[in-house]
Amino acid sequence: MRGGVTAQRCPRQHTEPKSASAMDSASLEPSLYTVKAVFILDNDGNRLLSKYYDPELYPSMKEQRNFEKNIFNKTHKADNEIAFLEGMTIVYKSSIDLFLYVVGSCQENELMLMSVLNCLFDCLSQILRKNVERRCFLENMEGAFLIVDEIIDGGVILESDAQQVLQKVNYRVDESSLSEQSVAQVLQSAKEQIKWSILK
């Protein structure tokens, strides 16, 4: 699991802070903001879904696309699950013609990032009826965005149990097909929540 493409890996910092000013260093403080980005690409490296949670990490669309292309070029033929690129830890998984990526800082725990990736893949597999490929994914984009939002909020990992995520987005885990009614219920619920948050 430690194999992976290695380029510009930054060393982990395990030193004790020696002064009060060293304790203020943001790079040494633990943070809930563990995920920098999540994106899904097709087998040509084109973006299908992406969410960047760190506004300082590739703020422009052009920088994001260059970053995604660079990662895709380094990983799409590799059999590994982890890459270290441009000072980031990237965990990834492919299925037919989709590539799923979760990006964290170079000091981030790979197992945490992998749990997010596995949860995302398992949820997608469930709503796409075990057919995790581009065409089915594009037909169920709303569900994919809901799943990502239930797993990660602003870079904070909220849930890594696929069954819990699927229950929260109101998909029927025990059924083999996604009903139109459950998607409509989720969208209606989201509209109600937005309406009540505006009225407060």
Side-chain angles (χ1 to χ4, degrees):
M1 189 169 172
R2 206 66 163 133
V5 178
T6 305
Q8 300 175 349
R9 176 171 165 87
C10 83
R12 295 184 183 270
Q13 298 178 7
H14 294 290
T15 58
E16 294 286 326
K18 295 179 181 170
S19 66
S21 64
M23 290 178 72
D24 293 334
S25 172
S27 65
L28 295 177
E29 290 182 15
S31 173
L32 291 174
Y33 300 93
T34 56
V35 178
K36 301 286 186 189
V38 172
F39 49 90
I40 299 175
L41 308 177
D42 66 12
N43 60 347
D44 295 321
N46 298 315
R47 175 192 287 186
L48 301 177
L49 176 150
S50 76
K51 287 210 161 211
Y52 284 77
Y53 301 104
D54 185 348
E56 296 173 12
L57 177 70
Y58 312 111
S60 75
M61 184 73 72
K62 183 178 179 182
E63 290 173 311
Q64 291 175 7
R65 297 230 181 212
N66 287 340
F67 176 64
E68 292 165 10
K69 272 287 191 202
N70 190 15
I71 290 176
F72 178 77
N73 290 336
K74 302 282 186 194
T75 60
H76 78 282
K77 292 184 180 177
D79 286 336
N80 305 309
E81 298 175 330
I82 300 176
F84 301 96
L85 222 60
E86 298 183 22
M88 297 287 146
T89 300
I90 300 122
V91 294
Y92 60 97
K93 183 179 278 203
S94 65
S95 174
I96 306 174
D97 56 357
L98 290 181
F99 291 83
L100 290 74
Y101 297 89
V102 176
V103 180
S105 73
C106 63
Q107 298 174 1
E108 200 50 64
N109 183 330
E110 295 92 349
L111 295 176
M112 289 287 287
L113 297 176
M114 190 59 78
S115 71
V116 170
L117 179 66
N118 288 334
C119 180
L120 175 60
F121 183 83
D122 293 345
C123 289
L124 288 176
S125 179
Q126 190 72 35
I127 69 164
L128 301 178
R129 297 176 289 271
K130 311 266 187 242
N131 200 12
V132 184
E133 52 92 22
R134 185 179 190 275
R135 185 184 55 78
C136 288
F137 178 80
L138 291 175
E139 291 172 359
N140 293 282
M141 282 291 276
E142 298 89 3
F145 275 105
L146 288 171
I147 286 168
V148 170
D149 289 342
E150 281 299 328
I151 297 172
I152 306 158
D153 182 22
V156 178
I157 300 171
L158 299 177
E159 185 64 68
S160 60
D161 179 359
Q163 300 302 319
Q164 292 294 319
V165 171
L166 290 167
Q167 286 177 2
K168 287 179 184 176
V169 297
N170 205 16
Y171 284 109
R172 306 233 186 261
V173 177
D174 54 349
E175 294 179 4
S176 61
S177 65
L178 175 64
S179 70
E180 293 282 332
Q181 185 179 4
S182 65
V183 173
Q185 288 171 346
V186 170
L187 293 176
Q188 184 61 35
S189 173
K191 287 177 187 176
E192 291 292 324
Q193 289 177 354
I194 291 170
K195 182 175 82 173
W196 285 111
S197 67
I198 291 172
L199 293 175
K200 286 184 180 179

